[in-house]
Amino acid sequence: MEPLSRRSFGSDNNAPVAPEILQAIVDANDGDAPGYGDDPWTSRAIERFKQHFGEATAVYLTFNGTGANVSALSSLLRPWEAVLAPASAHLQTDECGALERFNGSKVIPVATGDGKIRPADLEPSLHAGHDVHFPQPRAVSISQATEFGGVYERDELRELCAFAHERGLIVHVDGARIANAAVALGASLREMTVDLGVDVLSFGGTKNGLMLGEAICFFNPGEHLRTVVPFVQKQSMQLASKMRYLAAQLEALMTGDRWLRYASHANAMAQLLFERVRAIDGIRVTRPVRCNAVFATLDRAAIERIRREYFFFVFDPALPEVRWMTHWATTQRDVDDFAACIERAVRHG
Amino acid sequence: MEPLSRRSFGSDNNAPVAPEILQAIVDANDGDAPGYGDDPWTSRAIERFKQHFGEATAVYLTFNGTGANVSALSSLLRPWEAVLAPASAHLQTDECGALERFNGSKVIPVATGDGKIRPADLEPSLHAGHDVHFPQPRAVSISQATEFGGVYERDELRELCAFAHERGLIVHVDGARIANAAVALGASLREMTVDLGVDVLSFGGTKNGLMLGEAICFFNPGEHLRTVVPFVQKQSMQLASKMRYLAAQLEALMTGDRWLRYASHANAMAQLLFERVRAIDGIRVTRPVRCNAVFATLDRAAIERIRREYFFFVFDPALPEVRWMTHWATTQRDVDDFAACIERAVRHG
Amino acid sequence: MEPLSRRSFGSDNNAPVAPEILQAIVDANDGDAPGYGDDPWTSRAIERFKQHFGEATAVYLTFNGTGANVSALSSLLRPWEAVLAPASAHLQTDECGALERFNGSKVIPVATGDGKIRPADLEPSLHAGHDVHFPQPRAVSISQATEFGGVYERDELRELCAFAHERGLIVHVDGARIANAAVALGASLREMTVDLGVDVLSFGGTKNGLMLGEAICFFNPGEHLRTVVPFVQKQSMQLASKMRYLAAQLEALMTGDRWLRYASHANAMAQLLFERVRAIDGIRVTRPVRCNAVFATLDRAAIERIRREYFFFVFDPALPEVRWMTHWATTQRDVDDFAACIERAVRHG
Amino acid sequence: MEPLSRRSFGSDNNAPVAPEILQAIVDANDGDAPGYGDDPWTSRAIERFKQHFGEATAVYLTFNGTGANVSALSSLLRPWEAVLAPASAHLQTDECGALERFNGSKVIPVATGDGKIRPADLEPSLHAGHDVHFPQPRAVSISQATEFGGVYERDELRELCAFAHERGLIVHVDGARIANAAVALGASLREMTVDLGVDVLSFGGTKNGLMLGEAICFFNPGEHLRTVVPFVQKQSMQLASKMRYLAAQLEALMTGDRWLRYASHANAMAQLLFERVRAIDGIRVTRPVRCNAVFATLDRAAIERIRREYFFFVFDPALPEVRWMTHWATTQRDVDDFAACIERAVRHG
């Protein structure tokens, strides 16, 4: 548990807080404010999200991504309603069954090659149910960007939304890295969500420069839903008392093009890393580098040598396949040093 | 949703972040760090808690107080085990049934006059159960300080712990305001918890100068419990990815006597307010002022007049009884101005 | 665990199955039938309930009373919605927190002297909530007959329903002993439920001559509710595969005046017992005998002497207060013998 | 909802109650008996199970199979512990997510070709977890016989149990059709469960001649588990008040070789049906006929023609593949008539 003396390529949640965000926190520390969101910072943050996603959007701030996903889905699903998600989804693999426990809903994992669900992948699960014996599929949850650093193209997502809606399914997007996907797609936040038919988004802040904070955005909330979500948020332990400090960060992130700049930089650094390592003999980059992650297979001993100097995860120990992530604070120098370390480690073998 | 131009007497969670705490956040914003608590700030924060409460203490950091209470109790109770708590407990009145939903456990509200449970109050509930038909009482949860600004004297709490342990009950303390109680008792944190027999504490940071952050402290965790809590914490959506920012705040709070200074000041300001208002005709202070709250009954019209200038809650609309809270940042001038406003409002009638 | 050689005065669930009911089971054992209620016995049983309660009634058969109460309320309440019930309600004291675990909903126990809620008793709980911090009261659940052998008069229940509806509360009746109450009130099933404003009833069969089987009756089910209940019933493990055997019993019970005859007899036997014991020195009958239970206080030693010969429960060990229950099969001779035993036991002292 | 004028080949739960079982119910209808299992019938039924499975066995009676599976697993798993089961398991496909809702536990569906899990199938899921982020695999649940009418050979199950135990997994067997599997294996109940390493069994009665009733059998219950199960059973709404009527059936089933005779007959009838239809042109029997089910593909129009006369399920509408089930009451004549009908329907095309 020594502090990291070098840049981490482990996760974008290993990053520090971006300076403008930290400043926003400091600025918010001004006098007293009512609790639980009844403060001007929260009002302004919500306003910002409406500017990005449309006036109809209902916005709720949560502590973390699991909280956002679980609160969003628990507001929409009854316990006998199921959500279909890629087998690789954070919701399925990294939330310790929080949705099952909190809401009782079954998560139906859908096998995919690349973490992306296509309409055809959903078909078998839609017919699995029969009467009351199987939970009713009610939502599909996808990750944009995916856990493999990929993205749904706009046409792909539009098609998936249309397919889902035809079958009465709500479309939820886990947007822990929505900003990175926006950069990859060259689209505005609205163009890549609301305009394609997405119903609800877990908008990620923590992995894009914040200390903590996510925002659930319902794009077409009915009156009923607006009465439901606040109770779900509270009962799921995701209602901050000193809400202004979450809100100030999200307001700052959504002001100007900060959210875009942080993500653009992170993506660019991954691209640079990809350029640096693609030519190294013994390394095979295994997935398209669209956002801020490089996946690669390389020699097990080489991995161990690199890990003596840098922190990162072996994503699939069987291959082994590593995941190298960049973030808003990763520098060109960091990438150069890391790539050099990788090259040494691989050559040494 | 205008910013408050004046001091709030609504809640200690209306306060800003104390400057040393904010500085600790800024200082922690240094380079990359592994997520989920595997960082040196978290190690040091845990170390601080051990210094206060004893080496055996197992410490887990959560986002908020409801998260601390629910994660703590859900680590200890099976769904058919019940917790007895004062009918006025935050756990019963202000957590929206989060424990019931997350863990299935029944909360048995115990009627009290002042928010404090005495052993005799527990007796009826201990005999209520019969075989499998009623949930097994397994824990008693009390608030120190209480929601009425009172405290359990050390002898009272020792006796309650002994009584509970004889009957196989775990003692949980909701310490959202444990520091205020420590000040009132003139006792160290350890003397007022571990040494009296308390088993587990939700240690409050948010209401004592932090941006957010609480710490669950298990004083005698067995090996089994240590394997259980991390999963409960994660599944209850209370595991921060950028944990260092919670940890840095709690480390700073527990360093030196900061936790004590903030709470001492808050309590002193309540005492001052009490002195100022006790003599005003038409105001009756309804409860002993031991910590940072003054409860009083006064004329309904007067209340409305004061609320035009200051934010606070009418605790019991029937009487009506108001609650005026102070905090680390309340100044003597704030109190003087507020008391003057109250006096004007009451006299005007 | 010897068989009881004598009549039990322990509970109406100690009774055997009434001969007409057993015959209905035997008659239903004829060839094959589709599972899960898609059979003619179930159709006919539902038809019978509609004849009693009105065509609009939606009927669902469950295994036991806890299953009926929990399935009924879980179909109506979201996890952050609470149900108010007498502190003495079966739902609160005898279902091991099944509703809390299955649905997450808080049960708010309301103190009463006699197990009956009056409108004024609800007021404090209706104001306890504030915003999202406390679960929203959404239903009131009462027992008719009560767990103390009492009944709500028709005017009382009409008034309670009106009060509840004005405040947006659903009225659920736990009718484990609804037939006994109907006898006491001299009213038809419809007159004492639908016509007074009751929204949903757990109709009890097990305690009125059946082997097992209860019926949830929703009196004004909307389209939405009709899509919800079957999933709740299934997910709560209360959907019988060989449903015809539950249905045949309930059909037989509701045919002609059987349900009334069984309950009339049970009530009459309790009245007879009351007559026999009221005059015994040392026995004080503590509650009005309206249905099939006699509550009394008597000497602790006498209780022990009686229990050597007869099975019954000490309802409140503190007083001590006993509960003696009769049922469809209790005979006049049983009562005479039991009363004689009681008299001997009390005199002996 | 007409009564079935002909034998059903839809499910073994379409069968009537076997005459000896019905007689046992009638015989149990003798006088009063204490509730909730404190009666001699329950004692004797438990004794019978111990004779079959060994003295150490702890036995609990439930209403239905879902109740048995959920109560058994909820007694063993904490909410953050997962159970691996074939994707075709009743637990996964036919219990409407009852385990997820009641216990919060994730069910991890394991893909199989034939509904049988081999050790190698478990490997990927055992490595899927990482720290607290994924629920801990804690049990494997298999169906014996499988939902496809197949069986685990004794060696297969012994190997699976050994593999599971080495990895700290509990082995649960959903034995809704355990008797049919016993017949197929030519083994005693003990030889095919306890002796192979099975930890807990949901023993099925409903599908083998009972009106209703299953038995959870824990083969090596510790002291702790014995205190846990009764509360789980009660809280899961699976504790019958008039337990003697469940117990009497199970006692009768386990007395002599009744359980074996019923299942042997059912299996023999499936074998006969297999012989009759295997030679028909246009029918392909798709799975080995080991127990009481015949799976086959045939022309869609032929299926519709048969269904005009007989009730059965199209198991996989895509192929289409039908499932024809036999049971204790199916006669040779029933099979002959059904086979003749099938032949006519297929030829007609």
Side-chain angles (χ1 to χ4, degrees), chain B residues 84 108-110 120-129 134-135 137:
Chain B
L84 296 112
I108 303 175
V110 176
D121 301 325
L122 296 177
E123 281 289 358
S125 298
L126 297 177
H127 297 295
F134 192 77

mmCIF file of all heavy atoms in Angstrom, chain B residues 84 108-110 120-129 134-135 137:
data_model
loop_
_atom_site.group_PDB
_atom_site.id
_atom_site.type_symbol
_atom_site.label_atom_id
_atom_site.label_comp_id
_atom_site.label_asym_id
_atom_site.label_seq_id
_atom_site.Cartn_x
_atom_site.Cartn_y
_atom_site.Cartn_z
ATOM 1 N N LEU B 84 -33.664 -3.804 17.492
ATOM 2 C CA LEU B 84 -34.491 -2.913 18.302
ATOM 3 C C LEU B 84 -33.858 -1.540 18.311
ATOM 4 O O LEU B 84 -32.649 -1.407 18.549
ATOM 5 C CB LEU B 84 -34.600 -3.452 19.735
ATOM 6 C CG LEU B 84 -35.311 -4.807 19.844
ATOM 7 C CD1 LEU B 84 -34.333 -5.896 20.257
ATOM 8 C CD2 LEU B 84 -36.451 -4.717 20.840
ATOM 9 N N ILE B 108 -37.563 -3.014 14.990
ATOM 10 C CA ILE B 108 -38.609 -2.952 16.008
ATOM 11 C C ILE B 108 -38.483 -1.622 16.735
ATOM 12 O O ILE B 108 -37.539 -1.409 17.489
ATOM 13 C CB ILE B 108 -38.475 -4.119 17.013
ATOM 14 C CG1 ILE B 108 -38.518 -5.454 16.266
ATOM 15 C CG2 ILE B 108 -39.548 -4.029 18.089
ATOM 16 C CD1 ILE B 108 -38.286 -6.664 17.154
ATOM 17 N N PRO B 109 -39.432 -0.715 16.486
ATOM 18 C CA PRO B 109 -39.322 0.591 17.147
ATOM 19 C C PRO B 109 -39.709 0.494 18.616
ATOM 20 O O PRO B 109 -40.749 -0.075 18.953
ATOM 21 C CB PRO B 109 -40.317 1.452 16.365
ATOM 22 C CG PRO B 109 -41.290 0.500 15.762
ATOM 23 C CD PRO B 109 -40.584 -0.814 15.591
ATOM 24 N N VAL B 110 -38.867 1.047 19.469
ATOM 25 C CA VAL B 110 -39.104 1.028 20.913
ATOM 26 C C VAL B 110 -39.496 2.439 21.342
ATOM 27 O O VAL B 110 -38.748 3.394 21.089
ATOM 28 C CB VAL B 110 -37.831 0.566 21.653
ATOM 29 C CG1 VAL B 110 -38.031 0.630 23.163
ATOM 30 C CG2 VAL B 110 -37.431 -0.834 21.197
ATOM 31 N N ALA B 120 -35.137 -1.687 30.577
ATOM 32 C CA ALA B 120 -36.531 -2.070 30.791
ATOM 33 C C ALA B 120 -37.373 -1.882 29.528
ATOM 34 O O ALA B 120 -38.366 -2.585 29.326
ATOM 35 C CB ALA B 120 -37.135 -1.256 31.933
ATOM 36 N N ASP B 121 -36.966 -0.943 28.679
ATOM 37 C CA ASP B 121 -37.723 -0.713 27.445
ATOM 38 C C ASP B 121 -37.620 -1.896 26.489
ATOM 39 O O ASP B 121 -38.473 -2.083 25.618
ATOM 40 C CB ASP B 121 -37.210 0.537 26.721
ATOM 41 C CG ASP B 121 -37.301 1.790 27.580
ATOM 42 O OD1 ASP B 121 -38.259 1.892 28.360
ATOM 43 O OD2 ASP B 121 -36.404 2.649 27.474
ATOM 44 N N LEU B 122 -36.537 -2.647 26.621
ATOM 45 C CA LEU B 122 -36.309 -3.754 25.690
ATOM 46 C C LEU B 122 -37.096 -4.997 26.066
ATOM 47 O O LEU B 122 -37.463 -5.801 25.206
ATOM 48 C CB LEU B 122 -34.815 -4.107 25.640
ATOM 49 C CG LEU B 122 -33.884 -3.019 25.103
ATOM 50 C CD1 LEU B 122 -32.434 -3.491 25.173
ATOM 51 C CD2 LEU B 122 -34.246 -2.678 23.656
ATOM 52 N N GLU B 123 -37.340 -5.157 27.353
ATOM 53 C CA GLU B 123 -37.955 -6.394 27.844
ATOM 54 C C GLU B 123 -39.159 -6.852 27.026
ATOM 55 O O GLU B 123 -39.197 -8.005 26.568
ATOM 56 C CB GLU B 123 -38.336 -6.246 29.323
ATOM 57 C CG GLU B 123 -37.172 -6.397 30.290
ATOM 58 C CD GLU B 123 -36.643 -7.835 30.388
ATOM 59 O OE1 GLU B 123 -37.202 -8.741 29.728
ATOM 60 O OE2 GLU B 123 -35.662 -8.047 31.109
ATOM 61 N N PRO B 124 -40.159 -5.991 26.818
ATOM 62 C CA PRO B 124 -41.358 -6.484 26.116
ATOM 63 C C PRO B 124 -41.043 -7.060 24.739
ATOM 64 O O PRO B 124 -41.609 -8.073 24.340
ATOM 65 C CB PRO B 124 -42.233 -5.229 25.991
ATOM 66 C CG PRO B 124 -41.732 -4.278 27.025
ATOM 67 C CD PRO B 124 -40.266 -4.564 27.166
ATOM 68 N N SER B 125 -40.113 -6.417 24.039
ATOM 69 C CA SER B 125 -39.801 -6.899 22.690
ATOM 70 C C SER B 125 -39.030 -8.205 22.731
ATOM 71 O O SER B 125 -39.091 -9.009 21.800
ATOM 72 C CB SER B 125 -38.993 -5.851 21.931
ATOM 73 O OG SER B 125 -39.760 -4.679 21.785
ATOM 74 N N LEU B 126 -38.298 -8.410 23.794
ATOM 75 C CA LEU B 126 -37.527 -9.656 23.883
ATOM 76 C C LEU B 126 -38.438 -10.842 24.103
ATOM 77 O O LEU B 126 -38.109 -11.971 23.755
ATOM 78 C CB LEU B 126 -36.487 -9.551 24.996
ATOM 79 C CG LEU B 126 -35.446 -8.464 24.747
ATOM 80 C CD1 LEU B 126 -34.490 -8.363 25.919
ATOM 81 C CD2 LEU B 126 -34.689 -8.742 23.463
ATOM 82 N N HIS B 127 -39.606 -10.599 24.672
ATOM 83 C CA HIS B 127 -40.534 -11.696 24.904
ATOM 84 C C HIS B 127 -41.594 -11.786 23.817
ATOM 85 O O HIS B 127 -42.413 -12.686 23.825
ATOM 86 C CB HIS B 127 -41.196 -11.540 26.273
ATOM 87 C CG HIS B 127 -40.209 -11.606 27.376
ATOM 88 N ND1 HIS B 127 -39.496 -12.747 27.661
ATOM 89 C CD2 HIS B 127 -39.745 -10.659 28.232
ATOM 90 C CE1 HIS B 127 -38.669 -12.500 28.666
ATOM 91 N NE2 HIS B 127 -38.795 -11.244 29.018
ATOM 92 N N ALA B 128 -41.587 -10.819 22.920
ATOM 93 C CA ALA B 128 -42.613 -10.817 21.879
ATOM 94 C C ALA B 128 -42.460 -12.021 20.958
ATOM 95 O O ALA B 128 -43.426 -12.551 20.451
ATOM 96 C CB ALA B 128 -42.538 -9.530 21.061
ATOM 97 N N GLY B 129 -41.251 -12.429 20.757
ATOM 98 C CA GLY B 129 -40.995 -13.500 19.807
ATOM 99 C C GLY B 129 -41.410 -14.839 20.363
ATOM 100 O O GLY B 129 -41.434 -15.056 21.568
ATOM 101 N N PHE B 134 -41.800 -15.049 14.942
ATOM 102 C CA PHE B 134 -41.383 -13.647 15.015
ATOM 103 C C PHE B 134 -39.877 -13.581 14.793
ATOM 104 O O PHE B 134 -39.147 -14.457 15.229
ATOM 105 C CB PHE B 134 -41.739 -13.074 16.398
ATOM 106 C CG PHE B 134 -41.602 -11.577 16.465
ATOM 107 C CD1 PHE B 134 -42.573 -10.760 15.900
ATOM 108 C CD2 PHE B 134 -40.520 -10.978 17.084
ATOM 109 C CE1 PHE B 134 -42.462 -9.371 15.963
ATOM 110 C CE2 PHE B 134 -40.397 -9.590 17.148
ATOM 111 C CZ PHE B 134 -41.369 -8.785 16.583
ATOM 112 N N PRO B 135 -39.419 -12.538 14.075
ATOM 113 C CA PRO B 135 -37.969 -12.433 13.880
ATOM 114 C C PRO B 135 -37.229 -12.412 15.233
ATOM 115 O O PRO B 135 -37.719 -11.842 16.203
ATOM 116 C CB PRO B 135 -37.811 -11.092 13.165
ATOM 117 C CG PRO B 135 -39.109 -10.876 12.468
ATOM 118 C CD PRO B 135 -40.145 -11.463 13.393
ATOM 119 N N PRO B 137 -34.874 -11.102 17.845
ATOM 120 C CA PRO B 137 -34.104 -9.897 18.180
ATOM 121 C C PRO B 137 -32.625 -10.257 18.289
ATOM 122 O O PRO B 137 -32.249 -11.231 18.950
ATOM 123 C CB PRO B 137 -34.667 -9.495 19.547
ATOM 124 C CG PRO B 137 -36.050 -10.071 19.575
ATOM 125 C CD PRO B 137 -35.927 -11.378 18.826
#
